[in-house]
Each structure stands twice: as C-alpha cells, then as structure tokens.
Amino acid sequence: MQPTPSASLSMLQRFGGFFRLGFLALLALVLLVPVTMVQSMVNEREMRSKSVIKEVSEKWGQEQTMGAIRLDVPCTTVEKDTSGREYAVTVWMHAWPEVLNVNGKLESEVRKRGIFRVPLYLAGLDVAGEFKLPDPAALGLKGAVPRWEEAQINLDGGDIQALARTPVLEVGGKTIELVPTGASHPRSSDDETMRNGGAYETDRTTRMPAIRLAGPVPQVAARPGQSLPFRLQLSLRGQGSLSILPLARSTNVSLSSDWASPSFEGRFLPATRNLRADGFDATWSVSSLNLDVPMHWEGDRAPEAVSILGLRMLQPVDNYDCTERSLKYAFLFVVLTFLAFFLFETFLDKILHPVQYALIGLANCLFYLLTLAISEHVGFDIAYWIAAGGTTILISGYAASALSGWLRAAILGAGTLGLYGFLFTLLKAEDWSLLMGACGLFLILGFTMWITRKVDWSRSRPAPLIAGPQED
C-alpha cells in the first residue's frame, strides 16, 4: 500500500528539523575538504621555512655539539709468539678529564631570508680542566712502558667549518697546535627517522663521542697519577641549539645568553636557572656516576653513547604550529556557526538556503588561510585577530541580508567574535585547553537545550518566537 501525499507531507513536517540538521552535519563534513587544503598549505609553508633555516645554517653553522676531550698515551709492551720469541706491541691508554669546567656565552642574532626568520648564535666557550695520567698497571698492562713524549690530546670542538676563530688549547701551560683528524660529525645513538622530505629528527639525548681535532702533549716529565691541566678557548657559530658532552669525572657547565626563550634539552636539566626578559643564565653539574662510563681504559674499544646536556633557542611564537593547532578546531567551529544560524531559523519565520550555509562555512574556512598568510608578516596573535575581525564583519554583513535585520546580524556577529575569542583562549592555554574546551562546549549545549526547550520540532517551519515587525 503506497503512502498518500498527505501522509508523506505529514512525515516531512514531523521530521523536517531532523533532516535539516542531518544536511548541515553533512555540509560541515564536506567543508573539511577546504580545511584539509589549508592544512596542506600550512605544511608546505613550514617545510619552506625549514628549508630556509637549513640553507642559512649551512653557510653560518648548524646545531653544534662541544664533545669529548680525551688524552691518549701509547704504551710499549712485550709479547711472545708461538715460538717463544718476544716482540714489541703498542697499546693505547685513554683517559677522560677528571674535572671539566665550561663557561659559555651565546650572543644571539636573528637573520631574515624573505619573510622567514632564522635564529643564529655565536658561542664563546672557555673550557678548563685537568687529566689524571693513566696507570698501565691499573689497566692490566703489567710491564708496559708509557711513551709520554708521544701522548696527544684529542677533542671534538663541534663543526670545524663553523669555527669563528682558531681554537686555542693550552696543556701544562703551553699552547699546542691543533690539526683536523678528518672525523665526521657524530650522530645521535637513537634511531633517526626521516621527516619533512629529508630532515633528520631525533630525541637529542645522547651522542657518540667523536674526535675531530688533535694535538701533541708538550714533552714534560710525567708519571702515572700526575695531574695535567688544560684550557681550551673555543668560538663557534651555530643555529638553533648548543649541546655539550659532559665526559669527565666531574663536569660543571655555566651558560648565559641574551636569548629570552631557551628550551633545555638532553638527559640533564640545569641545577640552577635564571630566566630574564633579556636572556637567561643556567648551570649544570654532572658526575661520571650519572654516565656509567669508565674514566680510564685501554685498547681500541669504542666509547658508548653518552647523555648530553644543552639548550635550544625557541622562537617565542611559531606561527605554523599555532595555525595547525587552530585547524584542529575547524570542524567544531563550523558546526557551532551553523548551530547559531539554525537557531535563528528556528526562532524566526526565515529559512536559509543550503547555498547560504555553504558560503558561511567557506568564510570560516578562509579565516584559517588569512591567519596563515598574515602571520608570516606580523606574527600569529595580530594575524589571528585581523582575520577574526574580517571574517566576523563578512559573516555579519551577509547575515543582515539573509536574516533580514541588522540587529540579528549584530547578535550573530557578537556570537561569532565570542567563538573566535574562545578558540584563541584554547590555543593559548595549552595545559588547560582540554578542560576549558569541555566546559565551554557543555555550556553551549546547555544554552542550546534551554533556549529550544519549548520548540515543537515536529513542525517544518515553527512559528516565530520573536514577534513584531522585521527590521529593514
């Protein structure tokens, strides 16, 4: 039995509101397509920014690590072959410093390439410490004769191509000449993953000690257990971060800078830190017990990865991260805007066309593109409110015609601007964003339920709850 036309009309009237809400939900899902396109644009611009940083860093200096300072001493020992004949063998003894004191100052500089900003620094490091000459007997080399005159100092002073000045190393009160060893830059011992078309990303907590410069120890009378003081003056150009390998029995590091937004990295946090508006000061204190690394050893055994300490120069506001975070709320924002217009439909004798909803939704999507484009020139906060103000004016002006009244448009505009303010608060309150967002949505839902508590949803076009003549 086929339903009569009057029965079909009655069903449409009964479920008309439900069908419209379903259509609006589907339209909101369709609008995720332009939101995804904006997300791709954010990723593209962020990759371009990283490409510019890499380009500038290759010419100035990349992320730097002041690594290991090591003493190497050859020993002559006598061994016998299978026929009992004796022959001389050279075995190397190695030692990390007993004490390592690092005092450094980072002078920051921000250079621009087009619209992109690259934070750079010039680090002046004053490194002082002392070695304890290794004892062959304590290392199991009985009868070995150290050749102290052939001992040498090896160190990793960071990327030698980024040296601002020739390093000066004094050992035992005498200046020695350093020469490159040809060793490559040590990578992190942690697994590395490719990201953003070729950039390596690691957790930056450990490093493999590497030797990049070497020089002979001055010929002085030496004996096992004797102290050998040294001092190194190093000047490095770098970008982004500076790390230090605390390879010594006792390591004390003091760093200061005029950069006001540091992020302390590595396995060791500063023992003290003082963050100021014009920079920071931080100190670290690390013992060899924290590293589980022997201070003296013999042979060619490669040292294990060692935990690092250091800092990263953070940009105070990352426009791309903020825009990307705001895009996560795009669907919710469109839904809330549609809800506001749907409530006006419910309370007024006025039905909006789906095309009108689509245009309103596209205006919300363009908000994110405007924020991204403007933030590259004036910063995220200013760009956000410029885009929010422009979008609010656009939607309010359109609503004045669609809803036949400037008062209604002003109410919608105030609500839209309030939503933008709510979103901005969520973006800034990182630790409280989930709680604030959940409470805000709960209040919005409660307000919607209260204001529609007397609406007869079985009517396709409910009688207006706001009486009186319409505005021009």
Side-chain angles (χ1 to χ4, degrees):
M1 180 177 178
Q2 298 292 331
T4 62
S6 60
S8 300
L9 180 60
S10 176
M11 182 177 297
L12 180 61
Q13 291 176 341
R14 185 175 183 84
F15 297 102
F18 175 77
F19 289 146
R20 289 188 66 78
L21 284 176
F23 172 79
L24 293 180
L26 179 62
L27 180 59
L29 289 174
V30 172
L31 287 173
L32 289 179
V33 175
V35 170
T36 303
M37 296 173 65
V38 176
Q39 175 72 62
S40 300
M41 180 66 68
V42 173
N43 294 336
E44 179 185 345
R45 301 299 291 179
E46 187 174 14
M47 289 178 61
R48 173 57 182 159
S49 174
K50 291 183 177 181
S51 175
V52 170
I53 291 176
K54 181 181 178 182
E55 181 181 351
V56 175
S57 300
E58 289 176 348
K59 296 178 174 61
W60 173 266
Q62 303 184 30
E63 298 179 349
Q64 299 297 327
T65 298
M66 198 218 83
I69 302 178
R70 192 181 72 199
L71 173 66
D72 296 337
V73 181
C75 295
T76 301
T77 183
V78 178
E79 296 185 3
K80 294 182 180 181
D81 59 16
T82 55
S83 61
R85 288 181 298 181
E86 296 182 345
Y87 62 95
V89 176
T90 298
V91 178
W92 286 85
M93 298 186 300
H94 311 281
W96 300 124
E98 292 293 305
V99 178
L100 186 67
N101 298 319
V102 182
N103 291 300
K105 184 176 182 180
L106 281 71
E107 298 178 358
S108 64
E109 177 184 357
V110 177
R111 296 199 177 184
K112 293 185 178 180
R113 175 67 63 88
I115 62 174
F116 301 106
R117 296 161 57 89
V118 183
L120 307 173
Y121 66 80
L122 177 62
L125 301 177
D126 187 359
V127 184
E130 65 178 31
F131 290 102
K132 183 179 180 181
L133 300 185
D135 185 358
L139 298 176
L141 300 175
K142 296 182 179 180
V145 179
R147 303 201 298 268
W148 303 111
E149 70 280 1
E150 298 180 28
Q152 61 182 17
I153 294 282
N154 295 281
L155 64 94
D156 175 19
D159 185 1
I160 59 177
Q161 296 181 357
L163 291 173
R165 291 188 293 270
T166 302
V168 178
L169 177 61
E170 297 180 359
V171 179
K174 297 182 180 180
T175 302
I176 67 174
E177 181 181 359
L178 296 172
V179 295
T181 63
S184 60
H185 193 281
R187 283 185 178 177
S188 169
S189 63
D190 300 284
D191 292 337
E192 294 177 332
T193 55
M194 296 297 289
R195 183 187 181 211
N196 293 334
Y200 282 104
E201 182 182 69
T202 74
D203 67 358
R204 293 187 55 79
T205 57
T206 60
R207 286 278 179 174
M208 294 294 294
I211 301 305
R212 314 195 61 181
L213 296 170
V217 174
Q219 297 185 13
V220 295
R223 63 183 184 279
Q226 179 181 336
S227 294
L228 183 64
F230 66 88
R231 183 173 183 178
L232 171 67
Q233 294 181 347
L234 195 62
S235 182
L236 284 173
R237 295 189 299 263
Q239 181 277 321
S241 71
L242 173 67
S243 302
I244 294 175
L245 235 60
L247 264 173
R249 192 176 300 277
S250 176
T251 303
N252 300 290
V253 178
S254 176
L255 296 178
S256 63
S257 175
D258 56 359
W259 188 264
S261 303
S263 173
F264 300 108
E265 297 185 326
R267 293 280 176 85
F268 304 104
L269 291 177
T272 63
R273 62 176 184 173
N274 178 26
L275 303 181
R276 310 181 307 274
D278 59 346
F280 71 90
D281 301 286
T283 62
W284 291 259
S285 182
V286 181
S287 168
S288 61
L289 297 177
N290 303 127
L291 306 176
D292 193 22
V293 174
M295 292 295 99
H296 296 177
W297 75 99
E298 56 83 18
D300 298 327
R301 182 181 57 186
E304 299 178 354
V306 179
S307 300
I308 65 173
L309 59 87
L311 60 93
R312 176 172 294 276
M313 300 166 60
L314 291 181
Q315 296 272 20
V317 177
D318 191 320
N319 303 328
Y320 303 109
D321 285 346
C322 291
T323 306
E324 187 173 6
R325 287 187 60 207
S326 66
L327 280 167
K328 296 178 181 179
Y329 299 92
F331 178 75
L332 178 62
F333 203 88
V334 170
V335 168
L336 292 178
T337 305
F338 282 179
L339 176 63
F341 277 88
F342 181 78
L343 290 177
F344 269 88
E345 279 192 81
T346 303
F347 295 152
L348 301 172
D349 189 16
K350 186 75 175 178
I351 300 297
L352 296 181
H353 193 275
V355 174
Q356 293 175 301
Y357 273 104
L359 293 175
I360 294 167
L362 287 175
N364 281 324
C365 295
L366 279 176
F367 158 76
Y368 299 99
L369 185 61
L370 281 173
T371 302
L372 171 64
I374 301 174
S375 67
E376 291 184 332
H377 299 275
V378 299
F380 178 79
D381 290 358
I382 298 177
Y384 181 94
W385 287 111
I386 292 176
T391 306
T392 300
I393 294 174
L394 179 63
I395 293 177
S396 300
Y398 188 71
S401 175
L403 299 177
S404 303
W406 280 104
L407 177 60
R408 300 162 186 171
I411 295 174
L412 268 175
T416 301
L417 196 61
L419 285 177
Y420 282 120
F422 178 58
L423 175 58
F424 186 79
T425 303
L426 293 182
L427 294 177
K428 293 301 180 179
E430 297 183 3
D431 295 337
W432 295 86
S433 59
L434 179 59
L435 178 61
M436 294 176 62
C439 293
L441 291 178
F442 182 82
L443 293 176
I444 292 174
L445 178 60
F447 174 77
T448 304
M449 294 173 67
W450 179 80
I451 201 173
T452 60
R453 67 191 184 281
K454 295 183 179 180
V455 173
D456 183 4
W457 295 107
S458 64
R459 299 170 54 124
S460 60
R461 293 182 59 151
L465 300 182
I466 302 178
Q470 295 182 351
E471 301 177 25
D472 294 333

